[in-house]
């Protein structure tokens, strides 16, 4: 220290610079850099700041030169501090655990989104909610009685063969359709009734591009004293226009289901594959189904439908293989 006192201003400045640069180069944390910045350049008592304060006392010529030098040194120290900081930010040296760079861009957690099938089901629910239908849930393990018998599919009925069934016991099975929800709901509610019931159903089908042993259905049921087949077709056509757009082409033809009379199926024209695709079965609820749940078919009529959300989604998104919906491949899912 003795010798420093005897140095002139320029020498003091140069000495400060070389010591400071050395310290900056060996500083290995953001804290150390920040401490150095304060110690050297701090506004009130930084070492360089103090030297600046001595400048006005110098004779004019020396003051000019020393002033210039002091400014240069200030710049090069600032520069060195900044460079060292960037070096540390890029992972150079050891980063202190306590350092938090609040200016760094935020890292967002990965956020998922609804599955395309869920989305179609939600849209379908919205359309029917708009028409006054309530959505209800039911059990996937169902009684044979509800899945078949009360829908007029008795134990020896040939139409049972179409829906090869997973039985849990003699009386309990994995529902093959959402239609048992018609029975469950009508048993507990009196008309007027307007419900939909989306959910999973199960069939012992071999897996291929259009079949899986588990898939979705959405049941619909309306019971009132004034309704008709044309009302049913009108509602279904409205639904298709809402879901697929005003220009969608639909067609309806006669069919057979044990629990409806008359029965129909509806198809939608799939522009991409230039094919008509069946999306639902429907019909006027059979009077005996109404009798099974103590609703008088002389007073009330009903209609019902069962549609396939997997089908709807395939048409909506132009997907040709149902398995894409279920194998969880992110490359597929992230497109939606
Ligand atoms: N349950 C039928 C199936 O799984 C679809 C169906 C047809 C449901 C006619 C209905 C209906 O409610 O009235 O293929």
């Amino acid at each position: 220290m003795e010798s420093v006192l005897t140095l002139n201003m320029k020498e003091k400045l140069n000495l400060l610079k070389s010591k400071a640069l050395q310290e900056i180069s060996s500083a290995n944390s953001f804290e150390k850099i920040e401490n150095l910045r304060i110690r050297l350049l701090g506004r009130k008592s930084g070492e360089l700041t103090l030297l600046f304060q001595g400048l006005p006392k110098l004779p004019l010529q020396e003051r000019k030169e020393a002033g210039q030098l002091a400014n240069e040194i200030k710049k090069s120290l600032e520069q060195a501090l900044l460079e060292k900081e960037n070096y540390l930010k890029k992972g150079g040296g050891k980063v202190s655990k306590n350092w938090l760079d609040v200016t760094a861009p935020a890292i967002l957690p990965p956020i998922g989104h609804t599955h395309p099938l869920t989305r179609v089901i939600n849209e379908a629910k919205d359309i029917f909610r708009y028409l006054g239908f309530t959505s209800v849930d039911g059990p996937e393990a169902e009684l044979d009685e509800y899945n078949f018998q009360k829908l007029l599919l008795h134990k020896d009925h040939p139409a049972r063969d179409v829906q090869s069934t997973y039985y849990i016991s003699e009386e309990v099975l994995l529902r093959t359709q959402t239609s048992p929800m018609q029975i469950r709901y009508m048993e507990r509610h009196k008309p007027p009734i307007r419900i939909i019931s989306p959910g999973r159903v199960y069939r012992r089908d071999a897996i291929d591009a259009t079949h899986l042993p588990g898939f979705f259905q959405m049941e619909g049921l309306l019971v009132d004293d004034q309704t008709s087949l044309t009302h049913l077709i009108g509602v279904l056509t409205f639904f298709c226009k809402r879901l697929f757009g005003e220009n969608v082409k639909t067609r309806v033809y006669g069919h057979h289901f044990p629990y409806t009379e008359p029965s129909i199926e509806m198809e939608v024209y799939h522009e991409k594959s230039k094919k008509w695709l069946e999306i639902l079965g429907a019909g006027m609820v059979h009077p005996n189904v109404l009798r099974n749940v103590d609703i008088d078919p002389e007073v009330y009529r009903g209609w019902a439908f069962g549609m396939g959300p997997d089908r709807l989604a395939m048409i909506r998104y132009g997907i040709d293989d149902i398995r894409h919906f279920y194998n969880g491949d992110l490359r597929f899912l992230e497109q939606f």
Side-chain angles (χ1 to χ4, degrees), residues 173-184:
L173 45 75
L174 292 182
R175 65 178 177 187
T176 60
Q177 50 188 358
T178 44
S179 303
M181 282 309 291
Q182 294 185 31
I183 305 297
R184 285 187 174 272

Side-chain angles (χ1 to χ4, degrees), residues 157-177:
H157 198 292
R160 282 193 180 210
D161 295 348
V162 193
Q163 303 186 357
S164 33
T165 309
Y166 289 111
Y167 276 92
I168 293 169
S169 70
E170 184 96 352
E171 294 307 326
V172 182
L173 45 75
L174 292 182
R175 65 178 177 187
T176 60
Q177 50 188 358

Side-chain angles (χ1 to χ4, degrees), residues 308-327:
D310 303 82
R311 273 291 172 86
L312 301 180
M314 286 169 85
I315 297 171
R316 175 76 190 267
Y317 298 120
I319 290 151
D320 54 8
D321 193 325
I322 189 174
R323 289 169 289 195
H324 285 309
F325 289 131
Y326 297 92
N327 64 15

Side-chain angles (χ1 to χ4, degrees), residues 163 177 179 182 203 217 219 257 259-260 281-283 304-306:
Q163 303 186 357
Q177 50 188 358
S179 303
Q182 294 185 31
R203 290 181 197 179
Q217 272 197 352
E219 197 75 10
F257 298 104
Y259 33 91
T260 45
F305 61 83

Side-chain angles (χ1 to χ4, degrees), residues 81-286:
L81 287 164
L82 213 69
E83 273 171 12
K84 190 57 187 275
E85 242 173 17
N86 286 337
Y87 167 74
L88 290 175
K89 264 188 210 160
K90 283 185 196 132
K94 262 191 241 145
V95 181
S96 157
K97 278 189 208 130
N98 300 327
W99 175 262
L100 173 66
D101 181 0
V102 294
T103 65
I107 302 164
L108 295 174
I111 295 174
H113 58 77
T114 36
H115 190 279
L117 258 179
T118 312
R119 196 188 297 182
V120 164
I121 292 172
N122 285 343
E123 279 179 41
K125 276 186 180 175
D126 281 346
I127 296 168
F128 281 106
R129 186 182 301 124
Y130 171 80
L131 294 171
F133 286 71
T134 306
S135 181
V136 297
D137 279 337
E140 291 174 19
E142 183 56 282
L143 296 172
D144 183 288
E145 186 187 356
Y146 287 103
N147 193 80
F148 289 131
Q149 295 167 44
K150 293 204 166 175
L151 292 164
L152 314 180
L153 282 142
H154 303 290
K155 287 243 158 167
D156 51 358
H157 198 292
R160 282 193 180 210
D161 295 348
V162 193
Q163 303 186 357
S164 33
T165 309
Y166 289 111
Y167 276 92
I168 293 169
S169 70
E170 184 96 352
E171 294 307 326
V172 182
L173 45 75
L174 292 182
R175 65 178 177 187
T176 60
Q177 50 188 358
T178 44
S179 303
M181 282 309 291
Q182 294 185 31
I183 305 297
R184 285 187 174 272
Y185 197 84
M186 287 191 290
E187 274 187 349
R188 294 208 176 86
H189 300 83
K190 292 293 144 218
I193 288 170
R194 286 184 190 195
I195 55 152
I196 50 166
S197 187
R200 279 178 196 278
V201 300
Y202 301 87
R203 290 181 197 179
R204 287 173 48 193
D205 282 338
I207 296 175
D208 65 26
T210 51
H211 292 90
L212 283 176
F215 55 99
F216 278 90
Q217 272 197 352
M218 191 169 88
E219 197 75 10
L221 173 71
L222 181 145
V223 184
D224 213 332
D225 52 1
Q226 297 255 348
T227 190
S228 63
L229 188 69
T230 47
H231 184 202
L232 165 64
I233 294 171
V235 166
L236 294 175
T237 308
F238 174 88
F239 169 78
C240 287
K241 286 189 174 178
R242 276 289 167 109
L243 191 70
F244 298 117
E246 275 303 307
N247 297 325
V248 68
K249 282 185 224 147
T250 56
R251 70 181 185 191
V252 161
Y253 48 89
H255 199 78
H256 171 75
F257 298 104
Y259 33 91
T260 45
E261 181 59 39
S263 304
I264 57 167
E265 279 193 339
M266 187 174 227
E267 289 185 340
V268 168
Y269 191 67
H270 190 222
E271 298 288 346
K272 222 173 173 184
S273 62
K274 307 246 172 290
K275 276 185 198 153
W276 287 94
L277 295 177
E278 181 225 319
I279 59 157
L280 61 87
M284 301 304 292
V285 179
H286 196 290

